[in-house]
């Protein structure tokens, strides 16, 4: 029964005697109070943006968000459902990062921790998983000792997923000195195709995500396989997280309670399945 209906019923009660009327009036007031208490205690809806094109970790398949991280977060969300209703909303990665930067979203997954380059994200959840970022290159191309590469040579063209900050210090320096040129492409699939067609020399991304992407393209691209490229070197080893919008506590008064409860729930799920 809604509060509005209850209030109307209270006003329309038959007097039936002063004492009876007062008892009924008190019962109605208590009913209204209980209604508001129940409403206040209802679970709070929380939306977490999620990368829509990062298999096997987080991606859309047949119109649904799937992957290792959505599965993990949904399992954790079940443990806190009395307090919070968690919605995972797929979004292109670069757009998701911009949404946090502009204060338009509460949380995003699964960023690496970048305190200097993404000061608008804080805090981060406990680690969801450790990822290893590697460089896949066409044969004859290398990023080994890139800072010593002859400056007179043509730069190495590197593909990255749009919005990914995954260059190590050597590659950042090489970019400044013109020894590499970075090209941001939509997603893993687009980058692998460009690598295969030699439109970029190397592609840097999570190893597992890239290998799965290559496998999925085998029917489309004749002769492509993991052996078509050279795994040149490990670039970074980083943990993935849920990243939360820094500040805005007035807009999200539940922020730190949610983070605490979600971290606890994630820990429980990860202990049961340490390698999601």
């Amino acid at each position: 029964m809604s509060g509005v209906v209850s209030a109307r019923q209270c006003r329309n009660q038959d007097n039936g005697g002063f004492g009876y009327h007062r008892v009924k009036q008190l019962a109605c007031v208590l009913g209204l109070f209980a209604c508001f208490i129940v409403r206040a205690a209802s679970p709070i809806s929380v939306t977490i943006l999620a990368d829509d094109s990062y298999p096997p970790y987080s991606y859309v398949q047949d119109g649904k968000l799937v992957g290792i991280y959505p599965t993990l977060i949904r399992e954790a969300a079940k443990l806190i459902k009395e307090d919070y209703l968690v919605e995972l909303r797929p979004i292109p990665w670069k757009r998701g990062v911009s949404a946090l930067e502009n204060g338009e979203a509460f949380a995003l997954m699964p960023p690496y921790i970048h305190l200097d380059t993404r000061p608008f994200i804080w805090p981060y959840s406990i680690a969801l998983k450790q990822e290893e970022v590697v460089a896949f290159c066409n044969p004859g191309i290398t990023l080994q000792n890139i800072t010593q590469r002859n400056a007179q040579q043509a730069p190495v063209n590197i593909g990255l997923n749009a919005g990914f900050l995954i260059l190590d210090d050597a590659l950042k320096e090489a970019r400044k000195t013109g020894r590499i040129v970075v090209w941001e492409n939509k997603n893993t699939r687009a980058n692998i195709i460009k690598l295969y067609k030699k439109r970029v020399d190397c592609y840097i991304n999570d190893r597992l995500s890239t290998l799965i992407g290559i496998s999925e393209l085998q029917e489309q691209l004749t002769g492509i396989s993991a052996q078509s490229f050279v795994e040149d070197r490990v670039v970074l080893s980083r943990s993935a997280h849920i990243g939360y919008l820094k500040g805005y506590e007035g807009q999200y008064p539940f922020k730190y309670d949610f983070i605490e409860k979600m971290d606890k729930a994630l820990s429980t799920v990860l202990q049961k399945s340490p390698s999601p």
Side-chain angles (χ1 to χ4, degrees), residues 146-147 155-156 158 160 164-184:
I146 189 63
T147 55
V156 178
I158 294 178
L160 293 181
F164 278 38
L165 301 176
I166 51 177
L167 300 181
D168 62 10
D169 290 341
L171 290 169
K172 290 176 183 176
E173 178 62 28
R175 188 180 189 181
K176 289 179 182 178
T177 58
R179 289 177 168 85
I180 67 170
V181 175
V182 171
W183 301 91
E184 291 192 54

Side-chain angles (χ1 to χ4, degrees), residues 21-272:
H21 174 70
R22 293 301 299 270
V23 170
K24 295 292 289 184
Q25 188 178 54
L26 178 60
C28 286
V29 169
L30 291 174
L32 282 170
F33 182 73
C35 175
F36 292 131
I37 289 294
V38 169
R39 184 176 299 168
S42 298
I44 298 170
S45 296
V46 176
T47 299
I48 299 174
L49 303 182
D51 195 336
D52 69 355
S53 187
Y54 188 38
Y57 300 111
S58 178
Y59 61 106
V60 172
Q61 185 176 66
D62 299 327
K64 297 181 179 180
L65 181 69
V66 296
I68 292 172
Y69 297 147
T71 298
L72 172 60
I73 292 172
R74 286 180 181 126
E75 286 301 308
K78 292 177 184 178
L79 302 179
I80 60 173
K81 64 181 180 180
E82 299 300 321
D83 299 306
Y84 297 99
L85 295 178
V86 179
E87 176 194 2
L88 294 178
R89 184 176 299 167
I91 192 170
W93 180 250
K94 196 169 185 177
R95 194 182 304 168
V97 173
S98 295
L100 254 68
E101 186 173 16
N102 296 327
E104 298 169 353
F106 174 67
L108 172 70
M109 74 93 176
Y112 304 148
I113 296 177
H114 291 291
L115 299 181
D116 295 333
T117 50
R118 290 179 182 153
F120 48 88
I121 299 180
W122 183 260
Y124 291 82
S125 72
I126 64 170
L128 305 178
K129 194 179 189 303
Q130 196 77 12
E131 297 179 19
E132 197 157 69
V133 176
V134 300
F136 287 88
C137 298
N138 280 309
I141 306 294
T142 183
L143 296 176
Q144 303 283 350
N145 303 313
I146 189 63
T147 55
Q148 277 76 52
R149 180 180 172 86
N150 188 334
Q152 303 305 313
Q153 290 182 275
V156 178
N157 291 292
I158 294 178
L160 293 181
N161 288 9
F164 278 38
L165 301 176
I166 51 177
L167 300 181
D168 62 10
D169 290 341
L171 290 169
K172 290 176 183 176
E173 178 62 28
R175 188 180 189 181
K176 289 179 182 178
T177 58
R179 289 177 168 85
I180 67 170
V181 175
V182 171
W183 301 91
E184 291 192 54
N185 299 299
K186 182 179 179 181
N187 52 32
T188 299
R189 181 184 179 89
N191 272 296
I192 293 172
I193 291 173
K194 290 194 174 186
L195 181 65
Y196 178 74
K197 294 183 176 180
K198 295 182 170 55
R199 294 176 183 170
V200 295
D201 300 309
C202 299
Y203 171 47
I204 297 175
N205 192 25
D206 169 76
R207 177 189 283 116
L208 181 57
S209 180
T210 304
L211 291 174
I212 289 175
I214 292 171
S215 177
E216 290 177 345
L217 282 166
Q218 286 181 335
E219 291 185 5
Q220 178 181 339
L221 302 175
T222 303
I224 191 173
S225 71
Q227 288 67 45
S228 302
F229 315 109
V230 176
E231 186 179 314
D232 187 58
R233 70 180 181 90
V234 175
V235 176
L236 296 171
S237 183
R238 291 287 187 271
S239 54
H241 304 259
I242 302 172
Y244 296 95
L245 177 64
K246 185 176 182 179
Y248 289 82
E249 284 80 6
Q251 186 172 340
Y252 304 105
F254 56 84
K255 176 179 177 179
Y256 290 103
D257 180 69
F258 174 81
I259 293 170
E260 180 181 356
K261 285 183 169 64
M262 176 55 79
D263 275 355
K264 184 177 179 180
L266 286 170
S267 294
T268 298
V269 175
L270 285 168
Q271 286 171 7
K272 293 178 181 178

